[in-house]
Amino acid sequence: MSRPQLAIFDGPDDLAAAAAQLVSRLAASAIDQSGQFTMALAGGSTPQRTYARLARGQADERLDWTKTWLFFGDERWVDPRDDRSNYKMVRQSLLLPAAVPKDRVFPVPTSLATVQACAQAYANTLSHFFGTASDRMPVLDFVLLGLGDDGHTASLFPGAAALNVTDTSATSSPPGTLPPSVDRVTLTFAAINAARDVVFLVSGANKATAFADVWLERATRGQRPAIGVRPAQGNVTWLVDRAAAGDIGAQL
Ligand code: 6PG
């Protein structure tokens, strides 16, 4: 892994513009090299502005929907029409406004009898799309992640058993300490760390302590799971606004 890169922006709008431009640039380069771009989307609230920009698709913030395939880094185990659903958020901010063809999107299934079955089904979907054996990791071009103020990322929560799952690309996780308190399906570290590019998008003063702990590696992976994101061959870029950067921003 090359050294993680950090860029700090004045506020959420600059952050979203930078993220949309980075996605667009990496997508163009993946398409040049392999003819396609595969991306896992983050849930939560921070990426919504980025998705809205990608949906508008202006100048250097556009994606070629004929060659882009979208996956999810994590999902809450709720109906896709539920306000807590990451799919619902992505549908409203990106898929509908950009008229993304349905066959380009691979949501996490949430209607199976157990959350474990949903995770297994998603791991199968990934293996099938990427043509990998079930114990080999798919190599996504791009994984977008958020950071919780407890240091979680995707749905990899402090102290959770999911942190130690290495033999599958997607697993289930019970609710973390932060809302919403629902079971989750999440990509594992094994899958995230197989990706070519991983980008964290972090906004807001409530993230400053967790961000500093992760950036300075002054906690364990069990305490601040985002520390476990270390792609073997890939790059990690942190796009952070000034409020979330806190003291780290002041030191640069
Ligand atoms: C989720 C997530 C999660 C999120 C962080 C940050 O489904 O909850 O994908 O990992 O990215 O909790 O969320 P915010 O952007 O809402 O602060």
Side-chain angles (χ1 to χ4, degrees):
M1 179 182 113
S2 52
R3 218 192 118 52
Q5 302 294 304
L6 170 63
I8 298 175
F9 300 89
D10 280 341
D13 284 326
D14 297 337
L15 183 70
Q21 286 157 21
L22 181 58
V23 175
S24 180
R25 211 162 54 238
L26 290 172
S29 134
I31 289 167
D32 266 358
Q33 282 171 32
S34 69
Q36 67 175 26
F37 178 58
T38 55
M39 171 176 181
L41 299 165
S45 56
T46 311
Q48 289 179 33
R49 289 170 201 253
T50 302
Y51 297 156
R53 296 187 85 103
L54 289 170
R56 278 200 296 280
Q58 286 171 353
D60 50 358
E61 300 181 2
R62 70 165 54 112
L63 288 172
D64 177 350
W65 294 112
T66 66
K67 298 191 173 82
T68 296
W69 278 265
L70 298 176
F71 298 84
F72 285 73
D74 73 324
E75 183 56 281
R76 292 97 181 259
W77 195 43
V78 296
D79 187 275
R81 288 159 298 192
D82 188 298
D83 284 341
R84 296 167 296 182
S85 162
N86 283 338
Y87 175 74
K88 180 173 182 179
M89 178 278 281
V90 168
R91 185 166 179 267
Q92 288 178 334
S93 56
L94 177 61
L95 307 180
L96 289 177
V100 179
K102 262 201 144 145
D103 64 356
R104 304 283 133 182
V105 188
F106 293 87
V108 177
T110 55
S111 62
L112 303 177
T114 64
V115 67
Q116 291 80 8
C118 294
Q120 182 60 57
Y122 205 53
N124 293 344
T125 296
L126 289 164
S127 296
H128 187 254
F129 180 90
F130 287 92
T132 42
S134 61
D135 60 341
R136 301 302 294 263
M137 293 306 127
V139 179
L140 284 142
D141 290 311
F142 188 99
V143 176
L144 185 65
L145 293 172
L147 179 73
D149 58 23
D150 59 356
H152 82 262
T153 192
S155 284
L156 295 162
F157 292 102
L163 302 183
N164 300 316
V165 174
T166 55
D167 58 354
T168 181
S169 57
T171 192
S172 58
S173 187
T177 47
L178 294 179
S181 185
V182 290
D183 286 325
R184 315 282 187 113
V185 172
T186 182
L187 293 187
T188 58
F189 281 125
I192 294 170
N193 287 336
R196 296 197 170 89
D197 273 280
V198 178
V199 172
F200 282 93
L201 203 53
V202 190
S203 173
N206 60 322
K207 309 283 176 72
T209 303
F211 168 65
D213 287 350
V214 176
W215 181 254
L216 299 173
E217 297 185 25
R218 63 181 187 196
T220 65
R221 191 186 77 157
Q223 294 167 324
R224 300 291 199 198
I227 285 181
V229 174
R230 299 172 153 273
Q233 317 284 339
N235 310 303
V236 177
T237 306
W238 287 82
L239 304 179
V240 178
D241 71 10
R242 214 162 271 295
D247 290 348
I248 305 287
Q251 286 165 22
L252 290 180

